Amino acid sequence: MTTVLFLGLGHMGGPMAANLAAAGHRVLGFDLVPEALEKARAAGVETVTDTAAAAAEADVVLTMLPHGRLVLDVYRGEDGDGGLLAAARPGTVFLDCSTIDVAEAREAAAAAEAAGMRAADAPVSGGQVGAEAGTLAFMVGASDEVYAEVLPLLEVMGARIVHCGAAGLGQAAKICNNMVLGITQIAVAEAFVLGERLGLQRQALYDVMSKASGQCWSLTTNCPVPGPVPGSPANRDFQPGFAGALMAKDLGLALAALDEQGVAADLGRLAQAKYAEYAAGEGAARDFSSIIEDIRASHTDRSEA
Ligand code: NAD
């Protein structure tokens, strides 16, 4: 049994913590939102108010937070108190499963190591459904030793776990993958809009593309038109799924990394700009595949011009 201090019991963290507790681990949970704490308690998590005291008991401090600045604040403290890095026992593993900037992930790992702790980043894909089912995919950045230590916990929460390299490289893999996802979801949407205009039946285009070189997840799982893939968000008025706001966030992280590394990546930058604009409006709360509606509308405008 491992004692895990779990910070961030939201859409993802809540069910992840519940799965760890159900597997027999001792889970000490903290969130700022009372309803999240209540839900976690009902799922077997021991909720705490004093996170520093809980960190001193923990083998692993696991964070599942909205962004990297929060992770750094939790690790180092906001007011010079040293945060949880000062409170935990030496050698405690700080495992961040949030999706954050690669540079911030490396900063967090360096701060942990400087404080005598060990660090890993393990962002996920699979959404809330995967978090509840314990079938998340984890992309892990950690030393071999730390990877081996966190693996049994990740296996409780996930079904596919890849060790991507040293600390920070889990985040790197996540943003590379999601950059492809953002680009391909737009590409598939453009193909369907063009097909519609040319008089192609959706199902016919799907039957061709799903067995041809246009095949990809954005088509065969997240098909942006209703019909060909009954489970895709397009069949339920684009309820997420993976919300546009989260895609915009991940592409923003990709953009930061592209800039930092000096990579041109025209399509990645275009996808980032499109999703940033889309998520500033109604696209924020809808599945990101709903960007097809935006593409359909702008197509109409142009043909009328
Ligand atoms: P969420 O907003 O539902 O949950 C985050 C939780 O963190 C909230 O309950 C919030 O109250 C809590 N929190 C904020 N500051 C805190 C602090 N200082 N201490 C303790 N708790 C604090 O977000 P989510 O959807 O669960 O996403 C969490 C992370 O997982 C994000 O980084 C997100 O990008 C990533 N992610 C989400 C999905 C998804 O489909 N939702 C998929 C993959 C990755």
Side-chain angles (χ1 to χ4, degrees), residues 6-14 30-33 36 51 64-67 70 74 78 97-100 123-128 136 174 178 241-243 246 249-250 253:
F6 203 119
L7 296 120
L9 302 165
H11 291 102
M12 300 296 288
F30 178 72
D31 196 289
L32 303 173
V33 176
T51 52
M64 193 56 174
L65 298 171
H67 56 82
L70 277 174
V74 163
E78 283 173 273
C97 295
S98 328
T99 303
I100 71 171
V124 306
S125 70
Q128 199 179 346
L136 292 170
K174 163 98 185 170
N178 280 17
F242 189 54
L246 287 170
K249 172 193 167 180
D250 290 2
L253 297 175

Side-chain angles (χ1 to χ4, degrees), residues 3-7 26-32 37 41 46-58 61 74 81 83-84 86-88:
T3 299
V4 180
L5 169 58
F6 203 119
L7 296 120
R26 181 173 179 225
V27 184
L28 311 173
F30 178 72
D31 196 289
L32 303 173
L37 291 170
R41 262 196 300 275
E46 283 176 52
T47 58
V48 298
T49 48
D50 184 347
T51 52
E57 288 184 51
V61 175
V74 163
D81 64 356
L84 297 187

